[in-house]
Amino acid sequence: TMKLESLQNSEYLVMATDSAGNNETKAFESEYVFTLDSLNYYELVAYTTNEDCKVLGSGTYVENSDIEIEAVPSEAYHFVQWNDFVNDNPRTVHLTQDTTIMAQFAINQYEVTLAVQDSLLGTVSGAGIYEHDQIVNVVADENKGYVFLYWLESDSIASTEVEYSFNIKCDRNLTAVFGPADAHYTMLKKGWNW
């Protein structure tokens, strides 16, 4: 802020205070009467209560500044909105007063989809919606006369375990593959050559 005071004999005293609270005073003479516009500074506090995420842009700025703030989620979360219901991220805040804005985040959720290559050979369980890094257990149950071979995902074998456990970090689409319970499929299941 700046303050102009009139002294004796047309002398003027200018007092200036910056955003850090430092003061500087200068006196000078003038034959003219003039005014100085006041520079107002305001605090912008952009924050989140989520310890895993962060928000950029907080600080002290001159009145009428346009300040960009950004909500930055961690791997496990995604940005939802600001507490004033604005969804833009990043966004620009026009500063006319002390302002506090909170970013809201939500944990990521993923879907596990299960299928059976031939539903006559067995069943599966464990499909559903899970939160980021949650442990998922999927189970394959073969029908009589058949044996579980492997879990297939995107044309690749994801696991040969009947009970397959993993920490989820994305959507998963698994297909259980079964075969007849004869010597050939038993050897394949156990990784034997014949």
Side-chain angles (χ1 to χ4, degrees):
T1 59
M2 299 186 68
K3 181 180 180 182
L4 180 65
E5 293 184 358
S6 177
L7 305 179
Q8 295 180 352
N9 301 321
S10 299
E11 188 177 60
Y12 293 89
L13 181 69
V14 175
M15 301 176 64
T17 304
D18 62 19
S19 60
N22 301 314
N23 296 318
E24 183 177 357
T25 303
K26 290 185 179 181
F28 62 94
E29 294 184 359
S30 176
E31 299 178 356
Y32 304 98
V33 178
F34 61 93
T35 60
L36 293 176
D37 292 332
S38 175
L39 293 178
N40 296 317
Y41 289 85
Y42 293 115
E43 293 287 335
L44 173 59
V45 178
Y47 76 103
T48 178
T49 58
N50 189 316
E51 296 180 355
D52 294 326
C53 305
K54 61 183 179 180
V55 182
L56 308 177
S58 294
T60 302
Y61 302 97
V62 176
E63 182 180 16
N64 289 320
S65 294
D66 290 318
I67 309 301
E68 182 177 271
I69 60 176
E70 182 177 3
V72 183
S74 67
E75 178 190 12
Y77 292 85
H78 61 275
F79 171 74
V80 178
Q81 64 179 10
W82 303 94
N83 64 323
D84 58 356
F85 306 107
V86 174
N87 296 318
D88 295 339
N89 184 45
R91 63 177 289 191
T92 299
V93 177
H94 186 71
L95 208 59
T96 59
Q97 61 184 355
D98 289 336
T99 302
T100 299
I101 299 178
M102 181 180 71
Q104 299 171 344
F105 298 89
I107 194 166
N108 294 334
Q109 293 184 324
Y110 310 107
E111 183 175 9
V112 175
T113 303
L114 301 180
V116 178
Q117 193 174 58
D118 186 339
S119 60
L120 296 178
L121 308 187
T123 60
V124 291
S125 60
I129 303 296
Y130 297 88
E131 293 185 348
H132 180 89
D133 210 31
Q134 186 174 350
I135 297 176
V136 179
N137 297 297
V138 295
V139 179
D141 292 309
E142 63 262 19
N143 292 335
K144 185 177 180 180
Y146 300 95
V147 63
F148 170 77
L149 298 178
Y150 49 81
W151 293 101
L152 191 66
E153 185 172 28
S154 300
D155 297 324
S156 298
I157 295 178
S159 175
T160 58
E161 298 295 327
V162 171
E163 296 185 16
Y164 175 34
S165 297
F166 53 90
N167 293 80
I168 191 164
K169 299 181 185 296
C170 62
D171 291 336
R172 301 290 300 270
N173 193 337
L174 300 166
T175 299
V177 179
F178 299 90
D182 57 22
H184 173 67
Y185 279 100
T186 301
M187 290 179 184
L188 289 178
K189 176 178 172 58
K190 293 183 178 181
W192 299 342
N193 293 318
W194 67 300

